[in-house]
Amino acid sequence: MQRYTPQSVGDVLRDLLEETSLQDRMDELKAADLWPKIAGRGIADLTSRPNVKNGVMSIGVPNASLRNELHMNRSRLMKVINDTLGKNIITEIRFTS
């Protein structure tokens, strides 16, 4: 019989997340959840909930002028999101109609 040293539940979950690459997906979901805080409640209400996959955040914006304004500020938005998360999760932001 093999004996293991006791580990905390948190350590076991962290190991599991790293082994299964779920940490990247969790970071992408955190980035999507940050959108209302980063963009502001008013803009977040005018856009759809962001979808993040493989570092690309896609956000539906039905208003063309708002979409253009956000497009011009996407590098700043991307920097704020990544700085808030403490790592480079978002590599591109796409605003769609």
Side-chain angles (χ1 to χ4, degrees):
M1 180 164 69
Q2 198 173 31
R3 293 188 183 242
Y4 297 97
T5 58
Q7 289 183 304
S8 71
V9 173
D11 290 340
V12 171
L13 288 175
R14 272 187 285 283
D15 291 343
L16 177 68
L17 289 174
E18 288 175 12
E19 289 174 14
T20 59
S21 299
L22 287 175
Q23 186 63 50
D24 293 338
R25 184 63 188 141
M26 288 184 61
D27 289 338
E28 289 178 344
L29 292 173
K30 286 179 189 176
D33 288 340
L34 282 175
W35 178 246
K37 179 182 173 188
I38 301 299
R41 175 54 54 199
I43 291 175
D45 288 344
L46 296 173
T47 62
S48 67
R49 186 182 193 291
N51 180 28
V52 183
K53 187 169 184 176
N54 297 326
V56 178
M57 179 180 277
S58 299
I59 304 166
V61 185
N63 183 307
S65 60
L66 177 59
R67 188 169 51 250
N68 186 44
E69 185 72 29
L70 290 170
H71 183 77
M72 290 189 310
N73 289 298
R74 66 185 170 160
S75 60
R76 184 186 63 79
L77 293 166
M78 190 168 51
K79 181 180 180 345
V80 171
I81 291 169
N82 287 332
D83 288 349
T84 302
L85 292 172
K87 52 177 120 171
N88 288 332
I89 302 300
I90 305 301
T91 57
E92 184 180 352
I93 299 178
R94 295 180 185 162
F95 298 102
T96 60
S97 52

